[in-house]
Amino acid sequence: MTENFGQMDQMSMGLLLIVSVSGLVILVLVFLFWIKNRTQEIGIMMSLGKCKFEIWVQFLWEAVMISIIGMLLSFAISPIIAETSASYLAKETQTLRLEQQEQENTGTYIDGYIAPDLKIQDVEVHITKEMVLMDIGMISGILIIAVLVAGITIMKKRPKQILSEMS
């Protein structure tokens, strides 16, 4: 059973990487459409003298405000999901072990040793401060990269180019 939980750590890190990369790609695409729809606003802000960095920081701040809601929801739901999946994995592992024991047809060994009947009573899941900090750090990094990549398409243009495209 411990072997399965060790493999679960490797699988969760792999899934975390896959979800992070796919989330980054999706966010870049969302921000590309978001910035493209705000071209007129960007052109006006640039023509009024706002620098490109200030506009980019505004987009980043808007994305952070939206992501805070998502993080709060994820922190509220994640213990339930983690406990459910851990309980499921533990029960499946226990069922497989019982099937293997039934196939062997004995829990008694030659020297008279009887294997104890091990059953999982309860699974507890705790979200640690390190997990929260890692989550906040990864979300922040993904947001910064996504807004930066999406902003490159519009930020490389001059205000005159942007305003001429609007008409």
Side-chain angles (χ1 to χ4, degrees):
M1 192 177 306
T2 57
E3 181 180 314
N4 286 339
F5 283 112
Q7 290 175 355
M8 188 175 166
D9 181 47
Q10 291 174 347
M11 287 182 358
S12 65
M13 287 309 236
L15 285 173
L16 181 65
L17 181 66
I18 291 170
V19 167
S20 297
V21 170
S22 61
L24 177 64
V25 170
I26 290 169
L27 275 177
V28 166
L29 293 173
V30 167
F31 287 135
L32 278 172
F33 290 120
W34 185 40
I35 289 174
K36 187 173 182 166
N37 288 334
R38 296 177 72 179
T39 304
Q40 183 176 7
E41 176 187 348
I42 294 168
I44 293 170
M45 289 170 61
M46 290 172 80
S47 65
L48 290 174
K50 284 224 177 201
C51 72
K52 293 177 183 180
F53 181 74
E54 288 176 340
I55 297 169
W56 181 81
V57 169
Q58 178 185 336
F59 288 148
L60 181 62
W61 181 242
E62 291 171 6
V64 167
M65 288 190 300
I66 294 169
S67 70
I68 288 172
I69 296 168
M71 277 194 286
L72 292 176
L73 287 174
S74 73
F75 291 145
I77 294 172
S78 63
I80 298 166
I81 293 172
E83 194 165 322
T84 303
S85 60
S87 295
Y88 174 77
L89 179 65
K91 286 178 185 177
E92 285 297 313
T93 303
Q94 185 173 345
T95 303
L96 286 173
R97 189 185 61 79
L98 288 173
E99 288 175 1
Q100 287 174 349
Q101 190 175 13
E102 286 178 10
Q103 287 176 357
E104 294 172 0
N105 280 338
T106 181
T108 307
Y109 294 91
I110 295 175
D111 61 358
Y113 173 76
I114 298 175
D117 189 24
L118 301 174
K119 290 188 178 179
I120 297 173
Q121 300 296 325
D122 194 22
V123 176
E124 290 183 26
V125 176
H126 299 283
I127 296 177
T128 63
K129 187 188 300 184
E130 291 82 21
M131 291 176 182
V132 172
L133 292 175
M134 184 176 89
D135 190 36
I136 291 171
M138 288 190 66
I139 289 172
S140 300
I142 288 172
L143 278 177
I144 290 170
I145 293 169
V147 173
L148 180 66
V149 170
I152 288 173
T153 59
I154 198 78
M155 297 301 175
K156 67 181 178 182
K157 296 180 183 177
R158 296 176 188 251
K160 189 174 182 179
Q161 286 177 303
I162 294 171
L163 292 171
S164 68
E165 289 176 5
M166 294 185 321
S167 54

